[in-house]
Amino acid sequence: MSGHNGSHNGKVAPAAFPPPVDSQKEFVKRGLDGEDELIEVGVAIVGGGTAGLACANRLLQLLADDPEMMERLGEVPVAVIEKAKTCGGHNLSGAVMRPGPLEELFPEMTREQWREEGFAFGEVKKESVYMLTGPKSKLPVPIPAVPNFKNHGNEVISVSALARYQQRQAEEAGAYILTETSATQLIVQDGKVLGVRSGDKGRGKDSEPLGNFEPGTDIKAKATVLAEGCWGHLTGAAIKEFDLAKGREPQVWELGVKEVWKVSKPLDRVIHTFVQPWPLKVAAKYGQLGGTWMYPMKDEKTGEDLVSIGFVVDLNYRDATTSAHDLLQTFKTHPLVKGILAGGERVAWGAKALPGGGYWSMPKLSMPGAVLVGDAGGMVDTAALKGVHHCIKSGMLAAETIYASLKRGESSFEAYEEAVEQSSIGTELYKVRNTRQAFQKGFLLGSLLAGPSIMSKGKVPPGRQEWHRDDAEPMFIGDTKERYPKPDGKYTFDKLSSVFITGNATRDDAPNHIRIQKHVPREIAETWKWMCPAGVYEIPEDAPAEGPVDVIVNYTNCVQCGAITAKGGRLTVPEGGDGPLYQIL
């Protein structure tokens, strides 16, 4: 593509500038170290989020009733490898959760006990949906017209707090939780996954060993569970190594930015909004699609009234100045939102990408010696904005399959794929399999086709609807940015002050974990600059207004959202302990 030489707002695609990374070469290790140089565990779970910890807890429940099998798995029957400072530290979601899978995992707990534990904040009893028609106007949308937004009876939760609760339960049941530990390579030998290698610690900016250097270690396992969430680099390597995406549609992605506010007056309902024609644009040339939420949160421990508020934008957009963070700040200027947050205080902020491809984009979920669970397997229903219950259910199904297979002395976990297909995961995702694809052709056409698809449970339009990759979308420098408010530091905020309240503790001299081409057309550089909610990418002030520019990467700001991988770069794993420390997000 000629865009390597720059362009005059020439709609050049990020895919023309692939990041300098070979995932199979870098992130797959061929064979194990010697027996005296490795750690041996029964089951290694990479990722201490809701899916990975559901897997750990369900597996330990099964092992508690089978001491012989527990002994066969060794001194460490279950190990969870989590790169954040604590489980849940990098986890973020809206989140209104369908309660069934969590009730199944912990049947002895009541929903009132969930709230007492501090990870749940109330049952949804009222709900409203609006279309924002302008900066001061809105139209109500009847719930029967948008059944995918019906949430009555669901539970408002914090996935970061839920993960911390799951961590405690798993540890009490005998799991070994390795926090502040990155899994940097998937160990493969003779076509089978044998475990993972943990990352080095104490390297400098140029990867040189510092005084506190600690080398990584091979972790050998009878079964490996990849529960890395969005854009796990081992998951990406596994998909290529074992051709897991063959015959599937490409995965597409969305980016959500969220705040939690302490408010003086409790919100009495769940609210969702459509954000076309404001603050997103309707015209197809912008390629924009998104939505918002506002969820009430009653903290039973403190008695405080909180509100979860967020903005999600599909990463298929074409206007380089599209910024989920700034769109959230714009959304807050609407009278609907001002009336809810008035007199309140922002207490948390965070950002995370999520898989949006749904049923047709899910990769094959097993490979010899390993499985994918939760977001790593693309198990999100973006029509209903639901994924947490699928994460929990998939973790449980993986645990049950692994337990049964290892008990028989087998290393094939293919039965997990059929279990997912026949479960609520496969059933729910199949019903919305063709709902979102038409939006890649524009909001108006997508709106006309999405309704019949939802009402017909995916039968209209018929067949398999296709996606194209987000980074294949040509970009132009548009005017969406003109709607963004100037941050006042009290109600609307800039990116850097937002990163500060995440508890991000990345070392200034840590190695760079972000891969991009640093000399790219202005359209691509502007895309990265505006897209990143943490202000990682900068364009020098003296850069030319047109043509190629150099990009500065402030990687220590990174909150591990993963959006860069959708738009032409690559997020790789940081040193263990780096990144945000989300508490209530």
Side-chain angles (χ1 to χ4, degrees):
M1 197 170 193
S2 61
H4 277 80
N5 297 317
S7 63
H8 179 67
N9 210 8
K11 296 186 178 181
V12 60
F17 305 90
V21 60
D22 182 334
S23 60
Q24 282 176 274
K25 184 176 180 180
E26 292 187 51
F27 307 137
V28 175
K29 182 174 184 285
R30 307 296 173 180
L32 288 158
D33 290 347
E35 290 292 329
D36 58 343
E37 297 177 348
L38 55 78
I39 298 171
E40 192 161 355
V41 304
V43 178
I45 300 171
V46 182
T50 49
L53 289 165
C55 183
N57 277 293
R58 181 63 185 132
L59 187 55
L60 288 162
Q61 289 169 358
L62 295 168
L63 293 173
D65 295 327
D66 191 346
E68 180 184 349
M69 188 64 191
M70 176 83 87
E71 187 175 349
R72 279 173 57 187
L73 292 181
E75 293 184 12
V76 182
V78 179
V80 178
I81 302 150
E82 169 55 49
K83 67 184 184 298
K85 287 186 178 296
T86 184
C87 290
H90 291 176
N91 290 86
L92 181 148
S93 183
V96 170
M97 179 190 71
R98 291 177 181 158
L102 188 59
E103 291 174 324
E104 184 183 353
L105 180 60
F106 298 123
E108 72 285 355
M109 288 189 75
T110 65
R111 288 173 69 166
E112 186 56 44
Q113 287 173 318
W114 294 359
R115 297 158 202 156
E116 292 169 0
E117 287 288 346
F119 63 78
F121 299 91
E123 181 178 341
V124 178
K125 296 182 179 178
K126 293 183 180 181
E127 50 202 331
S128 296
V129 178
Y130 298 97
M131 174 175 283
L132 302 186
T133 54
K136 295 184 179 180
S137 57
K138 67 181 187 298
L139 288 174
V141 180
I143 294 293
V146 281
N148 48 310
F149 284 138
K150 185 172 177 57
N151 280 285
H152 199 83
N154 292 331
E155 187 81 17
V156 180
I157 69 158
S158 158
V159 290
S160 50
L162 173 58
R164 291 195 301 274
Y165 173 76
Q166 290 178 286
Q167 176 183 350
R168 294 197 304 272
Q169 298 304 302
E171 286 178 317
E172 290 173 8
Y176 188 42
I177 311 289
L178 288 158
T179 54
E180 299 189 58
T181 303
S182 294
T184 56
Q185 291 180 302
L186 192 70
I187 302 173
V188 177
Q189 184 172 301
D190 299 326
K192 178 183 174 183
V193 176
L194 299 182
V196 298
R197 183 170 180 83
S198 67
D200 296 343
K201 288 188 176 183
R203 288 191 179 275
K205 281 188 175 182
D206 298 318
S207 294
E208 74 280 11
L210 303 177
N212 61 343
F213 174 73
E214 296 177 16
T217 305
D218 282 6
I219 301 173
K220 181 182 179 182
K222 294 178 173 63
T224 301
V225 179
L226 296 181
E228 297 176 292
C230 177
W231 282 121
H233 75 294
L234 295 190
T235 301
I239 288 172
K240 286 191 173 183
E241 176 75 11
F242 294 96
D243 203 15
L244 303 181
K246 182 180 181 180
R248 269 66 168 181
E249 291 298 314
Q251 189 59 268
V252 295
W253 306 89
E254 302 176 1
L255 174 61
V257 177
K258 172 181 177 177
E259 296 178 353
V260 175
W261 281 67
K262 186 192 303 182
V263 294
S264 56
K265 181 182 177 182
L267 178 61
D268 69 347
R269 69 192 61 210
V270 159
I271 298 175
H272 290 100
T273 73
F274 296 102
V275 290
Q276 277 93 353
W278 186 91
L280 293 181
K281 306 292 185 86
V282 171
K285 75 172 186 176
Y286 290 91
Q288 293 175 339
L289 181 69
T292 73
W293 76 81
M294 287 181 283
Y295 300 155
M297 301 172 66
K298 181 69 174 183
D299 191 326
E300 294 290 342
K301 289 185 174 182
T302 65
E304 293 176 340
D305 289 302
L306 306 169
V307 170
S308 163
I309 177 173
F311 200 109
V312 177
V313 62
D314 283 28
L315 291 173
N316 185 59
Y317 60 80
R318 303 179 185 102
D319 181 354
T321 70
T322 305
S323 164
H325 171 83
D326 293 296
L327 286 163
L328 174 57
Q329 306 313 307
T330 308
F331 171 59
K332 291 190 300 182
T333 65
H334 196 282
L336 171 67
V337 186
K338 279 191 168 183
I340 293 167
L341 301 183
E345 175 191 3
R346 186 177 75 159
V347 296
W349 174 95
K352 198 74 174 176
L354 63 149
Y359 186 83
W360 297 126
S361 297
M362 288 173 60
K364 190 176 188 296
L365 298 174
S366 76
M367 65 213 86
V371 298
L372 308 177
V373 298
D375 283 8
M379 301 177 199
V380 177
D381 174 357
T382 52
L385 307 178
K386 294 285 177 291
V388 176
H389 69 302
H390 291 331
C391 287
I392 295 169
K393 185 65 176 178
S394 68
M396 296 170 66
L397 293 174
E400 291 162 4
T401 301
I402 289 168
Y403 169 79
S405 295
L406 294 182
K407 193 169 178 65
R408 295 191 299 266
E410 300 173 357
S411 60
S412 171
F413 308 124
E414 285 189 312
Y416 166 64
E417 297 176 36
E418 183 62 21
V420 169
E421 183 71 24
Q422 297 301 320
S423 73
S424 57
I425 303 170
T427 301
E428 291 178 19
L429 292 180
Y430 188 72
K431 288 178 181 178
V432 294
R433 61 193 179 278
N434 290 325
T435 300
R436 298 291 293 272
Q437 290 90 324
F439 284 104
Q440 290 197 334
K441 301 174 183 177
F443 174 73
L444 294 177
L445 179 59
S447 298
L448 291 173
L449 295 176
S453 178
I454 291 171
M455 295 299 181
S456 67
K457 298 182 179 180
K459 296 176 183 177
V460 178
R464 170 170 154 178
Q465 301 302 303
E466 298 178 347
W467 293 102
H468 61 257
R469 288 169 56 102
D470 295 323
D471 61 3
E473 201 67 66
M475 305 303 296
F476 73 99
I477 300 172
D479 58 359
T480 300
K481 65 181 183 296
E482 293 177 8
R483 292 183 171 181
Y484 303 153
K486 184 177 181 180
D488 61 18
K490 293 181 180 179
Y491 188 70
T492 56
F493 301 89
D494 64 16
K495 293 178 177 181
L496 295 185
S497 64
S498 299
V499 172
F500 179 78
I501 66 171
T502 67
N504 192 336
T506 304
R507 287 189 292 116
D508 289 339
D509 61 346
N512 184 2
H513 62 285
I514 296 171
R515 307 281 186 86
I516 62 167
Q517 288 197 34
K518 294 184 179 180
H519 191 66
V520 295
R522 183 99 195 190
E523 292 83 1
I524 305 302
E526 293 280 356
T527 298
W528 296 340
K529 182 188 82 169
W530 286 103
M531 176 191 68
C532 179
V536 169
Y537 310 97
E538 284 187 48
I539 302 171
E541 292 184 5
D542 60 353
E546 299 175 3
V549 299
D550 293 319
V551 180
I552 299 169
V553 182
N554 302 308
Y555 59 90
T556 57
N557 289 358
C558 180
V559 293
Q560 304 293 308
C561 82
I564 186 63
T565 308
K567 280 293 194 183
R570 179 66 60 84
L571 179 72
T572 69
V573 70
E575 182 176 281
D578 285 358
L581 183 58
Y582 295 144
Q583 299 292 322
I584 199 172
L585 295 168

